[in-house]
Each structure stands twice: as structure tokens, then as C-alpha cells.
Amino acid sequence: RKLIPANCKRMNTVPIVIGKAMVYASIYAVTLLYIMTVHYKLFDYPSNGSIWTVIGFLIPYLLACIMMGIAISTLFRYREQSLLLLFWTSIPILLLSGASFPREAIPEWLYTFGQIFPSSSGVNGFIRIRTMGASLQEVMPELRLLWAQVFIYGGLACIGIHVLLTREKQDRALK
């Protein structure tokens, strides 16, 4: 893993995190454009909410997911290892969100634990916007939690990248 270019002596953490986040956001933007236009029309999904409400909600959701992903990625030496974590946790996290399993049937402590993942707030708010036509004001609790996750996971991502940069700088000094 190389975060610092060979001819660069010093690299700041925040530009790296922002750069990675912008790359991931641009990829997700293309995917979302497809889903919100072609996919919704093709399968005749309900689309009651305003497009601006959807965009206003998806921005913090995507940022929270991206920052969480960057933070978690710093825990692994090889990126393949992070895929194993994703493989084993994606279904339980989906179940904790309450989208595919009734929220009332999930124990309260487990539902509360699930709130640390952006998918829980994201799924609930997005479904309310798209199926019931909710406004941003009506999904404000989910929106606040998503923005809190953006900053918390963003901070953790910066700390993780900083540790990786420090370790890489130490490895270079030993060579």
C-alpha cells in the first residue's frame, strides 16, 4: 500500500481522505443516476418524494458510507481481507436496518446497535421519502444521525490514514 508518492516528503491526512471520498462519490453518483432513473422506471418502483429531497438525503448517506468504508479499510493490510469482512457482515447489517426484517421483531438492544451503521438510518429515511413522499424535515432524526456518522467516521478515517502514513514514513526511513 503506497499513499505517499516517491518524490513527496510529506503528505497531509485530510487531502488523502477527501481525495478518496471524492473518487468513491463520483463512482456512486453514476450508480445512483442509473438507479434513480432507469431502475426505478424499469421496475415501476414508487417515487413519491421530491428529487431534491432524495438528493439532500442521499448526500449525507453516501458520505457516511464512504467515510465508514475508508475508516474500516485502514484496519486491513490487504484489501482482500476487507472484502471478507464485507462478505460476512453485509446480510446481518441489512437485517439490522429493518428493511428486510420487521423492526418490531428486532430486540431493542440489537436495533440500537444497528444505528452505528449508515444503512439503518439511510434505509429508513429513504423508504419514507420514496414511498410516502416525506420531506427532509420529516426524516430529520435520520438525517442528523447520518451527518454525525459522516463526522465520526471521517475523523476515524483521518486517524487511520494518519497511522498508515506514519507507518509508511517509518518503513521508508528504515530502507
Side-chain angles (χ1 to χ4, degrees):
R1 175 186 293 216
K2 300 278 186 219
L3 289 174
I4 304 173
N7 59 353
C8 188
K9 298 285 185 208
R10 185 169 172 262
M11 197 73 182
N12 288 330
T13 303
V14 175
I16 292 174
V17 173
I18 291 173
K20 285 178 159 242
M22 288 175 60
V23 169
Y24 294 135
S26 63
I27 292 168
Y28 292 135
V30 172
T31 304
L32 279 175
L33 181 65
Y34 162 76
I35 289 171
M36 300 307 282
T37 56
V38 176
H39 205 76
Y40 262 71
K41 300 274 189 255
L42 186 65
F43 292 103
D44 200 29
Y45 288 144
S47 54
N48 293 327
S50 152
I51 191 67
W52 297 110
T53 303
V54 171
I55 291 171
F57 188 78
L58 284 179
I59 288 172
Y61 172 69
L62 285 178
L63 287 175
C65 290
I66 289 167
M67 291 302 171
M68 181 179 156
I70 294 171
I72 290 173
S73 75
T74 64
L75 300 175
F76 299 98
R77 185 172 178 95
Y78 303 105
R79 68 179 84 171
E80 292 80 12
Q81 294 170 331
S82 64
L83 289 175
L84 290 173
L85 177 74
L86 178 67
F87 178 75
W88 289 106
T89 59
S90 58
I91 299 298
I93 289 172
L94 176 66
L95 292 173
L96 286 176
S97 72
S100 60
F101 195 78
R103 191 265 177 260
E104 292 76 21
I106 301 172
E108 192 61 37
W109 69 271
L110 203 52
Y111 180 77
T112 303
F113 172 73
Q115 296 302 306
I116 66 171
F117 302 108
S119 59
S120 295
S121 300
V123 166
N124 292 334
F126 187 76
I127 288 174
R128 287 175 43 208
I129 291 170
R130 290 306 270 184
T131 58
M132 295 185 267
S135 67
L136 282 179
Q137 189 64 34
E138 293 168 324
V139 293
M140 194 55 72
E142 289 89 353
L143 204 57
R144 282 190 191 112
L145 185 56
L146 287 171
W147 278 115
Q149 289 171 343
V150 168
F151 292 110
I152 291 168
Y153 288 131
L156 291 174
C158 287
I159 291 168
I161 293 292
H162 180 73
V163 168
L164 290 176
L165 287 173
T166 304
R167 193 175 302 144
E168 190 174 327
K169 191 162 56 167
Q170 289 171 349
D171 289 347
R172 278 191 182 176
L174 293 174
K175 288 182 183 181

